[in-house]
Amino acid sequence: MTMNRYDADAIIVGAGPAGATAARCLTAKGVGVLLLERQPLPRYKPCGGALTKRTLQMLLPLDVSPVVEAWVNTLTVQAPDGNRFTLTLPEPLIATVMRDRFDAFLTAGAVAAGAKLRCAETVLRCELTCEGV
């Protein structure tokens, strides 16, 4: 499958967690992927950066531990009236990450799998024609 600058089987707009993961998974299946990101990576993104156990399972077989800041197994919940309780689990429930490092890590995985990445690209519109999008 040949892919030039403007040709791809799939174009993914945005190299956030969903876009980078989709690019990695599609490329692993032999799909030619062009991944477009508006900003240069890594780029700061304000976000809580909490990954649930279910999210981590969905990212398998990707090991995200190199970019995990902390594994959380204790959770404290406080009601508006001040009542609170703490739950401690035997295994981590959440992993915390910094989004700039996490997104760059996922995008690097997509590129390593064969996706083509173009940063500083802004998509202005998409048009569907008989030849493609």
Side-chain angles (χ1 to χ4, degrees):
M1 172 178 328
T2 305
M3 185 166 64
N4 63 34
R5 184 174 178 175
Y6 301 104
D7 186 31
D9 298 315
I11 298 173
I12 297 173
V13 179
T21 300
R24 179 178 51 84
C25 292
L26 286 170
T27 302
K29 300 281 186 188
V31 176
V33 174
L34 177 60
L35 179 57
L36 303 176
E37 171 54 42
R38 180 175 41 194
Q39 299 177 358
L41 295 174
R43 40 107 173 87
Y44 179 74
K45 178 140 178 109
C47 176
L51 305 174
T52 64
K53 189 173 184 177
R54 182 168 186 228
T55 299
L56 293 170
Q57 290 168 342
M58 291 171 61
L59 289 172
L60 293 175
L62 191 64
D63 175 17
V64 298
S65 60
V67 292
V68 169
E69 299 289 324
W71 297 96
V72 179
N73 70 333
T74 301
L75 176 68
T76 300
V77 178
Q78 182 170 331
D81 65 4
N83 287 324
R84 66 185 199 175
F85 70 91
T86 299
L87 176 65
T88 300
L89 302 170
E91 318 181 341
L93 177 66
I94 295 170
T96 61
V97 295
M98 293 298 296
R99 281 289 304 277
D100 55 346
R101 292 181 58 222
F102 182 62
D103 291 5
F105 178 80
L106 293 178
T107 300
V111 170
K116 304 297 181 195
L117 173 65
R118 293 190 43 113
C119 289
E121 295 286 343
T122 300
V123 176
L124 301 176
R125 71 176 185 267
C126 295
E127 294 180 17
L128 179 62
T129 69
C130 60
E131 296 174 5
V133 178

